Amino acid sequence: MSEINQLPENLKGVHIHFVGIKGTGMAALVEILYSCGAVITGSDVEERFYTDEILEKMNIKVLPFDAKNITDKIQYVIYSSAYKPDVNPDLIQAMKMKIPCLLYTQALGSYSSKAYSCGICGVHGKTSTTGLTGTILKKLDFIPSQVLAGSVINSFGNTCTYTSSLVKNNPDVCKNVNSGTRIFVAETCEYQRHFMSFCPQKIILTSVESDHQDCYPTYEDIRDAFVDYICKLPENGDLIYCADDKGAVETALLAYNKRPDIKLIPYGQNAGGDFKLTYKAVEHEKNKFAIKLFENENPSSEFYLKVPGKHEVLDAAAAVTLVCQLIRFYGKHPKDYEKQIAQGFADFSGGKRRSEIVRNFKSRSGNDVLVIDDYGHHPTAVKTTLEGFREFYKGRKIIVDFMSHTYSRTQALLKEFAECTESADIIILNKIYSSAREKASDFNITGKTLYEETLKHIEKKLKEGKIDIKADEKVYYFEEPLDSVDFIRGEIDKPLSEDYPDGYLFVTMGAGDNWKIGKEI
C-alpha cells in the first residue's frame, strides 16, 4: 500500500472528513477511528438512515455535500465508492487542496495493517460471524480488541462496532504498529475484490458460491478472488474455513496448493479434531449444539443460540474457532474460558436486518403476528433462513415477501430463486430491486419472470405430492411491495388451523425496500 493511501499511526487529534458518512461500513469505520481519538466530520444526503443514530451518539453533525466542507484543518478524506472524485463537490475540493483521499476499503486496509487483524469473508454469514465473534470477545477482558461488522449488532449496544476497555483506556495500543497486542476483527467484502486492501493475520472463510455476477460472471471468477485474498495471509497464517461448504473446502485447498505454509483449520459437522460441530436440536426457540474446543475433548462443550437457523450455528462455530485461536495467541487455554464463550453465545440476538424481530402485534381478528426482517438476497441464504424459521417457529404460519436484488443475480440464479422460498406457506414476490450499477433494459428478466418460474416449481411439487396447496393459492405477485399491504392484512386476519397454534410469522426478505411493509401492517 502506497504512503498516500496510509492513515497515520497515531490518530489522536487527526481531522478526517468522511464523504458518504451514513453508509454502514463508513459509519462503522467512523466509530473505530473516533475511539482512537480522531476528529471526525462528514457529509451525506439529507435522507435519514439508521446510522444517523450512531453518528449522533458521537455528536457528529452530518453536513450536506459542499466544497465549503473542506477546510485547511482537514488532514485526510475517506470516501464511499458511491461518490466519484470528479463529481462530488467535497472530493473535488479536497483534490484541489491536495488532501490525501482514501476509498473506504483503502482506509480500512490501512487501519488493519496497524493491528493483528482478522478478516471474516464469505458469500454468506459474514455479518453474523463477525457479530458473534465480537460478542464473545466482550466476555474476554484480557484481549484488547476492536470489531467492525457490516450492520448494527444488538449485543454491541446497537452499533456496528465493539471496542474493548483495554483499547479505550490505552491510547498507545491504537498507535503501536509492532506490538501485536491489539486485535482487529472486521467483516471483509468480496465485491469488486474490496477485501484485497485488507491486511489479515487470520481469515475466516464461511462459504463460496456464485454471486455478484456483474463482476464475477462465473463461479471460478469469485472462487479465485477468495483464493487471492487467502494468499495475503502471512507465513503460517491461519485459514479457518467451513468444512460443510463445498465451495469453501475447494477454495481452501486451492489456496493451500499455492501456499502450503498456510495453516488450514476446518470447522463444522464435517470437521475432524478441533472445532467439530454437533447440531443437537431446537428447544424452546433456542438452537442447542456442541463444539469441540480442543482435540480429544469428550464430551464436547455444549452451547445454545437464541437466533434461528442451522446456518447461524455454523456461524457460531466459525466465531468460536477464531476466538479460541486468539485465546491461544495470548498463551491461554480455550477450555478455561468455556463459561465466557457460552455467555457470549447466549447474549447474541442478531443484528439489523439479520433475522431481526421488528415487532409483535395482534391482527384485527386477534391473531398473534410476529414480524421479522432479513437481508437475505442470495437463494442459498433465503432458503436456509426460511428453513430455520420453519424449524424455530413450528407453531406459526409463515408468510414471506421476497424482493429479489439485481437483475444480473436474478437472471443467473433464476432456477435457484424460484425454489428458495418453498418452505413458506404463502409467498409474495415483487419487482426486482435494481442496482445503480446496472440497467433493466440490458436484461430479459423482470420480477414477473421470477413469479412465473416460482409458480411452475410449486406446480411440480404439487404433482409430485410433496405439497398439498395449489400454486396460485401459495404464490402471489405485487409489482410494488406496498401494494401487497391489504392482501397481507386480509391473510393475517384469517382463522388458523390447529397446525398453527402460535399465530403468524410475516417475513420481509431481501436487500430492497420491502421492509416497509412490516411497518404498514
Side-chain angles (χ1 to χ4, degrees):
M1 188 178 290
S2 65
E3 277 304 311
I4 198 167
N5 291 331
Q6 284 278 11
L7 293 171
E9 293 181 14
N10 187 353
L11 289 162
K12 189 173 183 181
V14 175
H15 189 160
I16 304 172
H17 183 76
F18 281 74
V19 176
I21 195 170
K22 293 185 183 184
T24 301
M26 293 282 278
L29 186 58
V30 166
E31 288 187 276
I32 291 289
L33 301 188
Y34 180 84
S35 71
C36 289
V39 176
I40 307 292
T41 56
S43 54
D44 212 316
V45 296
E46 290 185 7
E47 183 183 352
R48 188 169 180 84
F49 293 90
Y50 69 86
T51 52
D52 276 287
E53 292 182 17
I54 295 171
L55 299 170
E56 286 163 2
K57 288 178 183 177
M58 294 177 280
N59 295 315
I60 296 172
K61 182 182 179 182
V62 179
L63 305 167
F65 296 126
D66 194 318
K68 294 177 182 177
N69 296 333
I70 309 301
T71 69
D72 55 10
K73 293 181 180 179
I74 293 172
Q75 295 162 270
Y76 293 86
V77 172
I78 296 174
Y79 64 101
S80 162
S81 59
Y83 300 100
K84 306 302 179 187
D86 59 345
V87 176
N88 181 272
D90 297 49
L91 292 173
I92 291 171
Q93 183 63 22
M95 296 288 186
K96 281 182 182 177
M97 296 174 64
K98 297 184 179 179
I99 298 170
C101 296
L102 290 77
L103 267 170
Y104 163 77
T105 50
Q106 293 172 332
L108 181 65
S110 174
Y111 190 78
S112 71
S113 70
K114 297 169 174 58
Y116 190 93
S117 295
C118 308
I120 296 178
C121 69
V123 172
H124 314 296
K126 294 185 290 290
T127 301
S128 291
T129 302
T130 308
L132 281 156
T133 301
T135 308
I136 298 171
L137 285 174
K138 285 183 73 174
K139 304 298 176 184
L140 303 174
D141 55 10
F142 63 91
I143 299 180
S145 55
Q146 291 179 297
V147 182
L148 184 153
S151 183
V152 167
I153 302 298
N154 300 334
S155 49
F156 287 2
N158 292 317
T159 69
C160 303
T161 67
Y162 160 68
T163 299
S164 72
S165 58
L166 282 176
V167 174
K168 287 179 181 177
N169 299 332
N170 184 7
D172 288 338
V173 172
C174 275
K175 66 182 183 183
N176 192 341
V177 181
N178 300 313
S179 68
T181 56
R182 177 168 55 90
I183 302 297
F184 180 48
V185 179
E187 178 176 338
T188 56
C189 181
E190 71 277 6
Y191 183 68
Q192 292 184 339
R193 291 179 169 247
H194 285 164
F195 49 25
M196 293 303 290
S197 296
F198 199 77
C199 302
Q201 301 290 322
K202 300 182 189 296
I203 287 176
I204 288 179
L205 177 63
T206 62
S207 53
V208 179
E209 63 177 301
S210 181
D211 197 14
H212 302 300
Q213 286 75 14
D214 55 332
C215 59
Y216 300 118
T218 68
Y219 160 75
E220 288 75 18
D221 292 329
I222 194 168
R223 179 201 65 195
D224 292 348
F226 281 106
V227 170
D228 290 346
Y229 178 47
I230 293 164
C231 287
K232 290 198 70 178
L233 284 168
E235 187 175 358
N236 300 314
D238 291 347
L239 173 62
I240 298 164
Y241 70 97
C242 182
D244 299 349
D245 184 87
K246 181 180 177 182
V249 172
E250 180 186 7
T251 302
L253 292 177
L254 285 172
Y256 183 75
N257 286 338
K258 285 188 171 186
R259 289 277 311 279
D261 62 289
I262 290 173
K263 185 179 178 183
L264 298 183
I265 304 174
Y267 68 88
Q269 290 178 294
N270 292 321
D274 291 10
F275 313 118
K276 181 174 178 60
L277 168 68
T278 304
Y279 187 82
K280 296 289 188 178
V282 173
E283 294 178 5
H284 310 297
E285 296 189 354
K286 290 179 181 177
N287 271 311
K288 293 194 173 184
F289 59 99
I291 301 176
K292 294 182 79 170
L293 296 185
F294 59 93
E295 199 167 1
N296 300 320
E297 179 185 7
N298 192 19
S300 300
S301 300
E302 292 204 359
F303 306 103
Y304 76 85
L305 276 180
K306 56 188 177 186
V307 289
K310 290 184 180 179
H311 60 292
E312 293 283 3
V313 175
L314 265 178
D315 294 342
V320 77
T321 303
L322 174 58
V323 169
C324 286
Q325 292 303 101
L326 293 176
I327 290 172
R328 288 169 174 155
F329 177 74
Y330 279 85
K332 299 178 186 293
H333 200 291
K335 190 65 177 175
D336 296 335
Y337 297 90
E338 185 176 2
K339 287 184 179 179
Q340 289 90 332
I341 292 169
Q343 189 58 55
F345 284 143
D347 287 353
F348 184 73
S349 59
K352 187 80 173 173
R353 303 215 65 201
R354 269 65 177 183
S355 297
E356 178 188 9
I357 295 177
V358 178
R359 56 188 54 79
N360 198 312
F361 68 96
K362 296 288 185 184
S363 72
R364 292 171 297 189
S365 63
N367 291 324
D368 188 81
V369 183
L370 178 65
V371 180
I372 288 181
D373 181 47
D374 190 86
Y375 188 68
H377 54 279
H378 186 285
T380 301
V382 174
K383 186 176 188 295
T384 55
T385 301
L386 287 175
E387 287 175 349
F389 290 161
R390 171 64 70 199
E391 187 176 24
F392 218 66
Y393 301 105
K394 290 184 175 71
R396 291 183 182 271
K397 186 172 185 177
I398 299 176
I399 303 173
V400 63
D401 183 283
F402 175 63
M403 192 176 199
S404 183
H405 180 46
T406 80
Y407 285 87
S408 56
R409 181 186 286 119
T410 308
Q411 185 164 289
L413 304 174
L414 181 61
K415 179 178 179 291
E416 291 85 351
F417 273 118
E419 298 173 357
C420 68
T421 51
E422 178 189 328
S423 61
D425 296 288
I426 295 176
I427 303 163
I428 301 168
L429 299 171
N430 311 128
K431 66 181 183 183
I432 294 173
Y433 187 74
S434 185
S435 163
R437 303 184 298 268
E438 59 186 20
K439 294 180 181 178
S441 58
D442 292 339
F443 300 88
N444 58 356
I445 192 171
T446 67
K448 266 289 184 67
T449 313
L450 175 56
Y451 165 68
E452 289 161 0
E453 288 297 315
T454 306
L455 280 175
K456 289 178 188 176
H457 173 69
I458 298 302
E459 285 168 358
K460 180 185 174 186
K461 290 290 182 178
L462 180 64
K463 287 178 182 177
E464 293 172 349
K466 293 180 180 177
I467 61 172
D468 57 2
I469 183 172
K470 294 179 180 178
D472 60 1
E473 294 176 359
K474 183 179 176 78
V475 188
Y476 299 86
Y477 184 80
F478 294 89
E479 180 76 7
E480 298 294 334
L482 291 179
D483 290 347
S484 67
V485 169
D486 287 342
F487 170 77
I488 295 164
R489 284 177 177 153
E491 286 298 312
I492 60 178
D493 275 339
K494 289 180 180 178
L496 287 157
S497 71
E498 60 184 16
D499 294 330
Y500 305 113
D502 298 333
Y504 285 92
L505 171 61
F506 175 64
V507 182
T508 49
M509 183 166 278
D513 59 359
N514 56 332
W515 56 267
K516 295 176 181 177
I517 302 171
K519 288 188 175 182
E520 287 297 317
I521 65 168

